[in-house]
Amino acid sequence: MWLAFQGSADDEYSAPGDAEADAAGALAGRWGPVVWQASLAAELDCAVVSAVIIVLDDAHQDRPLLAFAMTDPACQRRGIGRWLIEESIRRLDGIGVKELHLAVTRSNPAFALYQRLGFEVVPALQPSLAPEAPGRSL
């Protein structure tokens, strides 16, 4: 996460440990239970280079949320993150989950990827979410 978000619009970490704590919190259920069947990682040479974490968002009636999607900058633009998100969607569909939401700033380069994947801009579910939070119906 440190490498993936460093210098981006979503960079909120002052040190690698901050990113590690954020990831650990997400995996421990900080935003809701992790949907393990749809949370995936890609490895290269025994190191995680991309990952997605899907949770059932406690703050929004347990709606499925793409809490994190990240790819090491050295491995970006290879379709790894896109494939992980698409596979997560397939796995959600396989367990009967027909929607997936996320929150992202328009200035994040991933915003265009989410649109290509079929996410649509929907009104915020509550004031704490960015008004440009895309939602996707499968």
Side-chain angles (χ1 to χ4, degrees):
M1 288 176 65
W2 171 253
L3 292 174
F5 295 136
Q6 197 171 28
S8 75
D10 296 319
D11 182 4
E12 56 187 49
Y13 308 120
S14 58
D18 296 340
E20 185 177 321
D22 204 12
L27 294 174
R30 180 183 200 179
W31 293 283
V34 175
V35 182
W36 293 105
Q37 304 95 314
S39 296
L40 308 168
E43 291 184 4
L44 177 65
D45 299 327
C46 299
V48 173
V49 296
S50 188
V52 297
I53 300 172
I54 310 291
V55 302
L56 298 178
D57 188 4
D58 285 343
H60 298 101
Q61 298 85 35
D62 294 329
R63 287 187 170 106
L65 172 72
L66 176 57
F68 288 101
M70 63 213 110
T71 300
D72 183 321
C75 295
Q76 290 177 353
R77 311 249 185 270
R78 298 182 188 180
I80 301 167
R82 178 185 183 108
W83 186 88
L84 288 176
I85 295 168
E86 289 173 332
E87 181 62 19
S88 291
I89 291 168
R90 284 189 287 274
R91 290 179 181 207
L92 288 168
D93 188 52
I95 59 173
V97 177
K98 303 296 182 189
E99 64 180 307
L100 179 62
H101 299 270
L102 63 89
V104 64
T105 56
R106 287 187 189 268
S107 60
N108 184 320
F111 187 87
L113 168 64
Y114 297 132
Q115 287 186 308
R116 287 191 303 273
L117 287 170
F119 285 87
E120 297 175 356
V121 175
V122 297
L125 297 172
Q126 73 177 33
S128 66
L129 288 180
E132 61 270 2
R136 182 178 199 280
S137 295
L138 302 176

